[in-house]
Amino acid sequence: MSTLDADIQAVASLKEQAGSSWDAINPESAARMRAQNKFKTGLDIAKYTADIMRADMAAFDKDKTKYTQSLGCWHGFIGQQKMISIKKHFNGKTDRRYLYLSGWMVAALRSSFGPLPDQSMHEKTVVADLVRELYTFLRQADARELGGLFRALDAAREAGDKAEEAKIQDQIDNHVTHVVPIVADIDAGFGNAEATYLMAKQMIEAGACCLQIENQVADEKQCGHQDGKVTVPHADFHTKLRALRYAFLELGVDNGVIVARTDSEGAGLTKEIAVVKQPGDQGDVYNSFLDVEEIDVADMAEGDVCFNRNGKLVRPKRLPSGLYQFREGTGHERCVFDCIEAINAGADLLWIETAVPTVHEIKGMMDEVRKVHPDAKLVYNNSPSFNWTLNFRQQTFDTWTAEGKDVSAYDRANLMSAEYDETELAAVADARIKTFQADTAREANVFHHLITLPTYHTAALSTDNLAKEYFGEQGMLGYVAGVQRKEIRQGIACVKHQNMSGSDMGDDHKEYYAGELALKAGGAKNTSNQFN
C-alpha cells in the first residue's frame, strides 16, 4: 500500500468517526494535501538531509567519482529553480546535488543595512531566515509538482485510461523531493561560543543539517579571498566546534555535519598568543609559527609581550593594531595543523581556502592531513574570486614550458585575451577546468565541490543582457527573443509564472473547499493557456 493510499484510509476513518459534519470532506483530497506537505518542520528536514549527507559521505569513501556538488543561492526562488532544473535535466533525480548558503551573499544581498562586505556585519538571524526561505520554496516545488500529477491522475481516470492512471500513480508513489541538504555558512560564529550555539540552533531549526564555520576572529572576520584575515588559536575555535555539536545533539539531529574551515593559508595574523600547558601541545605548536626575535631581558621595552621558547626569551612581531604576525611561508603548515586538530575536535569535513585553484596544492596539504586521518574529506570552494580562465591558461603555459614545448606564440601575462580563445592552449586549459572537480575528488579527497556566488553573477549577467536589449534598439524583442522564446523552447517552467507562484494549487484547494462553487483562476480566459 502506498503512503497516499494509507493516508486516504486514515482520513476516511477519521471522517467516519466525525459523522455527518465531515460529509463534505474528501479523504483523497486531504491525503493529497498531506503528500504535498511531506516535511512538517525544519527539524524534519535537518534529520532527513543529514542522513542523505552521511550516506553520500560513506559512498564517497568507497568511490571517489561519487563526489557531491552545490551552487550558492541567495533567495528561495533561486534555490527552487535550481532544483527544478536538476530534476528536469537528470532523470528526475537530485542525487549528490545540494544547495550552498553563502555568508558573502547574505551580507551583500539580504541585510536590511543594504549591501555589505563579507565581514559578519549583517544581522545574525538573516542566515537562519534564508535557510527557512530556501526550504519553503523547495517544499512549494514539491507541492506544485505533485499537484500537476494529481490533476493528470484525475484526467486519466476521467478518460478511463487505466494504463496512464497506473503510470501517474507510480510517479506519485515514488515522487522525488526537491528538498536536499544545505551547507550553511555560519561565518566565524557571530560572536563567542554561546552566540555560536544560539545561532546554530536557529539554523538547524530552520532545516540546516550542515554548518560551516571558520577559524577567524568573529568580530574581525574577512572574506576568505581578501586580505586582513586574523585567525584564532585552536582552543578558541574548537570551543565553537563543540558548541555546534551540542546544538545538533540538543535538537536531536544526531547526524548533523560540521565543516571546519581554515583561512590560515592566506591569513598572516593572529589576535592572540596561544596558552601553552606543556611543550608540544596545540598552543605551543600554534605559537611556533609566530614571527619572533630572540632578545635579552635588558632589551625589553615598556609594554613588550615576550615568552619563553626552548629556554630562550623571544618577542613576537606585533603590529600597531596589537595583532601578531606569523612567519612568511607557514600557511600550508598551519592549514595542515588546523585540519588535523579540527578533526580531533569533532569536525566531520574540512575546508581549505587557497589563493588559486590548483590540484597539486590542494592534494599536497590533504596528503599530509590524511597521514593522520586517512578518511579526511574536503569541501572545496570553486570560487568566482578566482580568474579560472587566466589561472588555468597560465598553469598550462607553465606545464608546457617545463616540458620544453614552444610557447612563443603566447603572452603569459595576457592569456585572458579573447585572441587566445581558439588556440590549443585554451582548449587544454578548458579541459583541465572541466575535469577539475573530478581530479581533486580523486587526488585530494574533495567530497563536496561548491561555487559560493554563482547565482549572484548569473543574475547580474542576465539582467545586463536584458537591459541592453530592451532599452536599446531591440525594444520588446529584447525580452521576447532573449528570455521568453528561450524559456518556451528550453521547457523552463517559469514561463507559466502564475503556475509557478501557486495559482493552480490555489485552484485545487478552492475545489476541495467549495466543490462546484469554486471560482477558479485557471479557466479558459487565463492567458497562461497560451503556453500549454
Side-chain angles (χ1 to χ4, degrees):
M1 180 186 296
S2 70
T3 301
L4 187 66
D5 288 336
D7 276 342
I8 291 172
Q9 289 190 11
V11 177
S13 177
L14 291 172
K15 179 177 178 178
E16 185 177 348
Q17 295 171 36
S20 61
S21 64
W22 277 32
D23 282 349
I25 299 297
N26 183 329
E28 183 165 1
S29 297
R32 289 180 177 187
M33 293 174 78
R34 285 187 178 186
Q36 288 172 298
N37 189 24
K38 176 180 178 181
F39 300 99
K40 305 301 187 287
T41 70
L43 285 178
D44 290 341
I45 292 172
K47 292 173 184 177
Y48 169 78
T49 53
D51 287 343
I52 290 174
M53 277 200 76
R54 291 291 179 174
D56 286 346
M57 290 161 68
F60 176 78
D61 284 339
K62 298 175 182 177
D63 181 354
K64 302 309 176 189
T65 68
K66 295 187 181 299
Y67 57 88
T68 57
Q69 298 168 291
S70 65
L71 297 174
C73 299
W74 53 272
H75 191 279
F77 175 74
I78 299 296
Q80 178 199 65
Q81 293 306 300
K82 171 189 152 182
M83 296 315 302
I84 288 174
S85 178
I86 285 171
K87 287 192 68 176
K88 181 179 78 171
H89 291 294
F90 298 97
N91 300 315
K93 303 295 185 183
T94 63
D95 298 351
R96 303 195 307 279
R97 296 174 175 96
Y98 305 166
L99 296 183
Y100 180 67
L101 188 159
S102 161
W104 191 101
M105 286 204 286
V106 167
L109 299 171
R110 301 304 302 253
S111 172
S112 64
F113 297 118
L116 294 171
D118 184 19
Q119 296 173 353
S120 294
M121 294 188 290
H122 55 273
E123 308 89 331
K124 298 177 182 181
T125 55
V126 74
V127 185
D129 289 344
L130 181 51
V131 175
R132 191 174 296 107
E133 177 182 293
L134 283 161
Y135 281 128
T136 297
F137 274 78
L138 294 184
R139 290 162 69 191
Q140 192 263 7
D142 281 356
R144 172 189 163 275
E145 189 171 63
L146 283 165
L149 289 171
F150 293 144
R151 287 188 291 278
L153 182 67
D154 291 340
R157 287 174 176 172
E158 188 175 340
D161 189 338
K162 294 295 184 183
E164 182 67 9
E165 180 182 347
K167 176 184 173 183
I168 296 169
Q169 187 64 59
D170 181 69
Q171 292 175 346
I172 293 169
D173 294 340
N174 296 290
H175 179 258
V176 176
T177 179
H178 295 81
V179 170
V180 296
I182 290 177
V183 178
D185 187 357
I186 198 171
D187 281 5
F190 300 108
N192 62 15
E194 181 67 8
T196 302
Y197 154 79
L198 293 171
M199 193 64 255
K201 281 182 61 178
Q202 280 203 354
M203 293 169 70
I204 297 163
E205 287 169 338
C209 73
C210 178
L211 301 178
Q212 164 222 325
I213 188 167
E214 59 205 70
N215 66 338
Q216 290 192 47
V217 177
D219 55 353
E220 296 188 25
K221 171 245 178 335
Q222 292 276 17
C223 172
H225 289 280
Q226 291 189 306
D227 207 352
K229 295 182 290 296
V230 183
T231 61
V232 297
H234 294 80
D236 295 13
F237 185 53
H238 296 171
T239 298
K240 294 185 177 182
L241 293 181
R242 288 189 286 273
L244 297 184
R245 182 63 66 201
Y246 275 112
F248 275 124
L249 293 173
E250 177 183 340
L251 295 172
V253 186
D254 300 343
N255 265 356
V257 178
I258 297 172
V259 180
R261 169 177 144 181
T262 172
D263 284 294
S264 289
E265 197 276 336
L269 303 170
T270 184
K271 195 169 186 177
E272 302 173 44
I273 296 174
V275 173
V276 179
K277 295 181 178 179
Q278 59 185 26
D281 66 9
Q282 276 181 358
D284 195 23
V285 175
Y286 188 83
N287 292 342
S288 72
F289 295 116
L290 290 170
D291 193 354
V292 301
E293 57 181 345
E294 184 180 338
I295 64 168
D296 292 322
V297 174
D299 297 328
M300 290 181 65
E302 191 72 22
D304 267 357
V305 174
C306 303
F307 61 90
N308 173 32
R309 175 181 288 175
N310 299 323
K312 298 177 181 178
L313 185 66
V314 296
R315 177 169 56 201
K317 290 189 177 178
R318 198 178 191 190
L319 304 182
S321 61
L323 300 172
Y324 300 97
Q325 187 170 299
F326 288 114
R327 284 180 285 113
E328 288 283 340
T330 61
H332 282 210
E333 290 179 81
R334 286 184 281 123
C335 277
V336 171
F337 180 49
D338 292 345
C339 290
I340 291 170
E341 293 301 311
I343 294 177
N344 289 341
D348 301 294
L349 298 168
L350 304 169
W351 172 317
I352 298 173
E353 286 283 15
T354 60
V356 293
T358 53
V359 176
H360 71 272
E361 180 182 14
I362 305 164
K363 173 179 167 31
M365 287 187 277
M366 283 302 290
D367 282 349
E368 293 301 309
V369 174
R370 294 176 70 193
K371 288 178 182 177
V372 180
H373 296 291
D375 291 331
K377 289 176 280 294
L378 198 63
V379 173
Y380 190 72
N381 177 10
N382 294 242
S383 176
S385 293
F386 301 140
N387 185 331
W388 287 79
T389 300
L390 181 61
N391 268 299
F392 276 80
R393 287 182 181 181
Q394 289 183 337
Q395 289 177 37
T396 302
F397 180 97
D398 294 342
T399 300
W400 284 6
T401 300
E403 293 171 350
K405 189 166 183 174
D406 181 13
V407 293
S408 60
Y410 304 98
D411 175 5
R412 188 182 187 280
N414 194 38
L415 287 174
M416 183 65 204
S417 174
E419 68 182 281
Y420 296 117
D421 286 356
E422 304 304 320
T423 63
E424 181 189 3
L425 184 144
V428 171
D430 282 354
R432 289 184 174 185
I433 295 172
K434 183 178 179 179
T435 63
F436 176 79
Q437 294 185 334
D439 293 342
T440 48
R442 182 184 64 253
E443 299 295 328
N445 227 38
V446 176
F447 162 72
H448 186 69
H449 280 282
L450 61 92
I451 308 179
T452 42
L453 327 173
T455 54
Y456 176 89
H457 293 279
T458 55
L461 179 62
S462 61
T463 303
D464 180 79
N465 288 332
L466 175 60
K468 176 180 64 177
E469 299 295 333
Y470 177 74
F471 292 105
E473 293 181 1
Q474 294 300 308
M476 191 58 196
L477 183 60
Y479 172 75
V480 173
V483 180
Q484 190 182 77
R485 192 176 295 161
K486 291 180 179 179
E487 284 183 300
I488 295 169
R489 291 175 176 172
Q490 291 179 218
I492 304 298
C494 269
V495 73
K496 298 178 69 172
H497 48 261
Q498 303 287 15
N499 167 271
M500 185 57 64
S501 69
S503 178
D504 289 343
M505 284 191 290
D507 277 358
D508 292 341
H509 293 169
K510 288 175 186 177
E511 192 167 6
Y512 297 165
Y513 309 153
E516 63 183 14
L517 301 179
L519 181 63
K520 298 193 288 187
K525 293 184 179 180
N526 190 318
T527 56
S528 289
N529 294 332
Q530 297 172 39
F531 301 106
N532 290 338

